[in-house]
Amino acid sequence: MGEDLIEQYRIRSEPYYRATGNEIALYEAAYSVRMPLMLKGPTGCGKTRFVEHMAWRLGRPLVTVACNEDMTASDLIGRFLLDAEGTRWQDGPLTLAARHGAICYLDEIVEARQDTVVVIHPLTDTRRALPLEKKGELVRAHPAFQLVISYNPGYQSMMKDLKPSTKQRFGALDFDYPEHGVEAEIVAHESGVSLQLADKLVSIAERARNLKGHGLDEGISTRMLVYAGSLIVQGVDPLAACQMALVRPVSDDPDMRDALDAAVATVF
């Protein structure tokens, strides 16, 4: 039953990922010793796609959890449920991954409460075990299990950061938006636009990223460029596509929108 359940998390076809450095080799080395990994970088720069690619490459199921401030330890570990036959235990995603040798990916972990995050500690040191106190069971992690977390350092604050006792249990890989030519290749591949048009979209993003901290909390991401390109492929006018996918989502300030609209008009 458990093996059938974990199979739904197996990635069947290769997710496209364009390496920008030695991150694939470093991940493979970390996985070979089952080192827990922390991926750090801005939103939409490819962290999640990278984990999907590595799970496919390593032939492991990938259990992904989108962390949030309402998430409890039980949401990760599991809980007792009532059904027609009485009370039964249901594993949470972390327990499921640990039992069956999946990669468990906790996305944007700083969004979770610190009292929830600490439940991962026994899985991230030499114990490699997960105590299920409510059930009275100690789950020994499958030899193939690995824990991966991610977050955006740009949103860090004293209230939303990982404790040193958590950080020091992980190796870390830094991610950022790719250099211009590589990012254009990615946008062209993922959206279907020409490389020439993708190049223009990247130019707009680079201008917006220069405004981070000067009116923008976050720049235009690679993901957003793919959205814009996808709209253009569907026949949407490039100016309208950029306004919808690039400008309007990142700012509600009229002056900032005007500045970004002007940058789009200049490029196109």
Side-chain angles (χ1 to χ4, degrees):
M1 178 64 178
E3 290 296 333
D4 293 338
L5 189 59
I6 201 66
E7 280 302 306
Q8 67 182 310
Y9 296 100
R10 193 173 295 279
I11 298 173
R12 305 296 176 182
S13 57
E14 180 180 1
Y16 174 77
Y17 179 77
R18 173 70 155 79
T20 59
N22 60 349
E23 65 269 27
I24 290 177
L26 287 173
Y27 189 108
E28 289 177 335
Y31 183 78
S32 70
V33 295
R34 304 303 185 264
M35 177 190 293
L37 275 181
M38 177 192 313
L39 311 183
K40 302 162 66 175
T43 183
C45 71
K47 300 187 297 295
T48 298
R49 178 62 65 86
F50 174 69
V51 177
E52 292 172 347
H53 178 81
M54 295 310 301
W56 174 85
R57 195 181 185 96
L58 295 165
R60 302 313 309 164
L62 176 65
V63 179
T64 299
V65 180
C67 298
N68 62 80
E69 61 185 10
D70 295 322
M71 188 174 71
T72 65
S74 294
D75 292 327
L76 282 178
I77 294 175
R79 53 171 54 90
F80 283 105
L81 301 175
L82 288 173
D83 60 18
E85 298 179 1
T87 303
R88 65 179 176 86
W89 174 265
Q90 178 171 292
D91 282 343
L94 181 62
T95 306
L96 183 69
R99 282 192 197 278
H100 301 289
I103 295 171
C104 185
Y105 177 46
L106 305 182
D107 189 20
E108 295 297 345
I109 192 169
V110 293
E111 297 298 328
R113 301 198 312 260
Q114 290 188 342
D115 62 331
T116 299
V117 173
V118 295
V119 303
I120 70 176
H121 284 191
L123 284 169
T124 54
D125 56 30
T126 54
R127 290 173 288 178
R128 281 181 59 85
L130 182 62
L132 306 181
E133 295 177 1
K134 292 181 180 178
K135 194 182 179 189
E137 179 185 358
L138 182 66
V139 177
R140 303 285 183 184
H142 188 285
F145 168 77
Q146 185 192 33
L147 184 64
V148 181
I149 64 175
S150 74
Y151 71 98
N152 180 354
Y155 290 146
Q156 274 184 245
S157 69
M158 292 303 292
M159 297 300 293
K160 279 193 173 183
D161 195 7
L162 296 176
K163 293 180 178 180
S165 60
T166 300
K167 285 183 176 181
Q168 293 177 16
R169 296 169 181 271
F170 291 83
L173 291 174
D174 286 332
F175 284 75
D176 205 344
Y177 302 121
E179 64 90 19
H180 187 107
V182 173
E183 189 167 21
E185 287 181 25
I186 294 169
V187 173
H189 181 278
E190 292 292 274
S191 69
V193 296
S194 68
L195 188 58
Q196 182 181 17
L197 204 151
D199 183 82
K200 292 182 177 182
L201 292 173
V202 173
S203 295
I204 295 169
E206 290 174 340
R207 295 187 185 193
R209 291 166 192 167
N210 290 333
L211 297 173
K212 184 178 178 182
H214 301 280
L216 283 184
D217 293 329
E218 192 74 18
I220 291 172
S221 69
T222 306
R223 180 192 297 126
M224 297 171 75
L225 297 181
V226 172
Y227 288 162
S230 299
L231 290 174
I232 293 170
V233 168
Q234 293 303 311
V236 177
D237 177 76
L239 291 175
C242 289
Q243 287 177 342
M244 179 179 178
L246 306 183
V247 178
R248 299 300 178 264
V250 297
S251 179
D252 294 317
D253 180 79
D255 292 336
M256 181 57 65
R257 285 186 171 189
D258 287 345
L260 293 174
D261 282 340
V264 171
T266 299
V267 170
F268 283 103

